[in-house]
Amino acid sequence: MADELIVTTDLSKEEKYKELYPQIFALIQGEDDLIASLSNMMSALKHSFGWLWVGVYFVKNSELVLGPFQGPIACTRIQLGRGVSGTSWHKKETIIVPNVDEFPDHIICNAASKSEIVIPVFNKNGEVALILDVDSNQLNDFNEIDQKYLTQIIQLVVPLL
Ligand code: SME
């Protein structure tokens, strides 16, 4: 495992993901603990991209419960169908929100959040086991490149579910 994350400045978004992916892979390779792996993954994402908030929520019974994250304190529990994350869980699909003020029922955990991407992660039974939630303090900060690479990255923990 590397001691320090390599983050090269002045790279395009896609180049940043290409630099980051093998580092995250190496970070969690050989580690079979889900929380430990997610914790380092969230740290690597936060430090590479500098987003406001990067974290996961676990599906527990009938709600989402806060898991490993990096950033300001956040809502602890979110109900099915509520907010962007609860909607992503309910619809079982990735949601990109260019402007959170225009998303009906957006849950304000931090007023600085302006745009957001939420990606559901499925267990072997095809049920949503957790969601990855990334918030930016910039409007329109996420697109299909983030969807592609963040999905690949968060998929790395599926064998640990
Ligand atoms: N804004 C989210 C809530 C979670 S956080 O932003 C950390 C939502 O509407 O689901």
Side-chain angles (χ1 to χ4, degrees), residues 49-76:
F49 285 93
W51 293 309
L52 176 69
W53 197 92
V54 187
V56 299
Y57 282 88
F58 295 111
V59 173
K60 287 193 180 168
N61 302 317
S62 55
E63 55 189 359
L64 293 173
V65 182
L66 185 63
F69 72 94
Q70 294 272 320
I73 57 170
C75 309
T76 327

Side-chain angles (χ1 to χ4, degrees), residues 52-55 57 64 66 69 72-75 78 82-88 97 100 103-110 113 116 118 131 133-135:
L52 176 69
W53 197 92
V54 187
Y57 282 88
L64 293 173
L66 185 63
F69 72 94
I73 57 170
C75 309
I78 295 173
R82 292 292 322 280
V84 183
S85 34
T87 304
S88 170
V97 183
V100 295
F103 188 90
D105 194 35
H106 172 249
I107 300 168
I108 302 169
C109 292
N110 188 296
S113 175
E116 177 163 356
V118 178
I131 61 109
D133 183 329
V134 186
D135 292 2

Side-chain angles (χ1 to χ4, degrees), residues 110-124:
N110 188 296
S113 175
K114 300 281 184 253
S115 61
E116 177 163 356
I117 182 169
V118 178
I119 299 174
V121 180
F122 301 89
N123 63 20
K124 290 157 197 126

